[in-house]
Amino acid sequence: MSIGFYDENAEDFFARTKDLPPLPQLARFTALLPPGGRVLDAGCGSGRDARLFRQMGFQVTATEAAPRLAALASGHAGVQVLVKRFDEMAWREAFDGVWACASLLHIGRRELVDAVGRLRDALVPGGALFMSFKYGSGEREADDRRFTDLDEAGAAALLAKVGGLALLESEVTGDIRPDKAQERWLSLLAKRA
């Protein structure tokens, strides 16, 4: 459902998000990585952050489930964006950091433990994982997309079920998009144990 939305609206979504400023959490995430380290941008959208990681000297692997958006992101980020869903990821200790910015929120609550577990497995021991979700506690459909919202209690339960991740910080912030400033987000920064 959500993949179809991003494929059908790829050009519009790309145009609206490719030049947004980076999240403040990006600097805290990259501070945990070794210079020139390996980063997975999981569900990279327009490729905005994958481009930044590449410009910062990291080795970047990027994925996007919507093929048309992946093609646009590849050109923008300057890296090949793999067309891949979370349930197709099978990396083992391949990355120093995994960045899942506003991407896991489209995974159903039942599948979320598996998806986050796959991202944990993709990390080297001590590797950093960033995730962000719209703030709340339910599952819903809006604008032809599925959303799983998380609050602090939901995040704690998710991390407990996944196991092997230590939460470093949790933060509730506003949206960086001016037209969505009223929306709240939960950002999580964790480390593989």
Side-chain angles (χ1 to χ4, degrees):
M1 175 181 179
S2 298
I3 294 170
F5 171 87
Y6 289 106
D7 221 30
E8 291 166 23
N9 298 281
E11 289 80 7
D12 178 58
F13 180 81
F14 177 78
R16 288 187 297 110
T17 59
K18 69 181 176 68
D19 295 320
L20 287 171
L23 295 181
Q25 296 91 339
L26 188 134
R28 296 197 295 275
F29 169 78
T30 56
L32 298 170
L33 307 178
R38 300 158 298 162
V39 176
L40 171 63
D41 190 345
C44 72
S46 65
R48 172 198 71 179
D49 297 333
R51 177 185 173 109
L52 286 170
F53 293 134
R54 184 181 59 77
Q55 290 171 342
M56 295 169 82
F58 294 107
Q59 301 169 55
V60 181
T61 300
T63 67
E64 171 54 50
R68 286 177 61 199
L69 188 53
L72 293 169
S74 288
H76 183 64
V79 298
Q80 180 190 3
V81 175
L82 307 172
V83 177
K84 194 178 282 283
R85 299 184 318 262
F86 287 103
D87 63 355
E88 297 172 319
M89 295 182 186
W91 286 289
R92 295 283 183 270
E93 298 187 7
F95 302 101
D96 300 296
V98 173
W99 180 259
C101 181
S103 54
L104 286 164
L105 78 171
H106 295 304
I107 304 292
R109 193 168 300 280
R110 264 189 256 148
E111 297 81 34
L112 200 51
V113 171
D114 177 68
V116 175
R118 287 171 181 271
L119 297 182
R120 176 208 56 216
D121 293 346
L123 285 168
V124 298
L129 171 62
F130 174 83
M131 305 177 279
S132 61
F133 298 85
K134 292 198 179 200
Y135 191 79
S137 60
E139 285 186 85
R140 61 192 167 84
E141 292 180 11
D143 303 322
D144 295 322
R145 291 174 287 177
R146 176 203 306 187
F147 291 93
T148 297
D149 300 334
L150 276 190
D151 57 15
E152 294 88 347
L158 172 64
L159 292 175
K161 285 180 187 168
V162 172
L165 290 168
L167 183 64
L168 300 176
E169 66 179 62
S170 165
E171 182 179 21
V172 178
T173 60
D175 199 301
I176 61 171
R177 298 169 293 182
D179 61 323
K180 304 211 183 256
Q182 76 287 355
E183 291 190 16
R184 296 194 312 154
W185 289 79
L186 176 69
S187 296
L188 306 169
L189 186 57
K191 199 172 203 179
R192 182 170 181 180

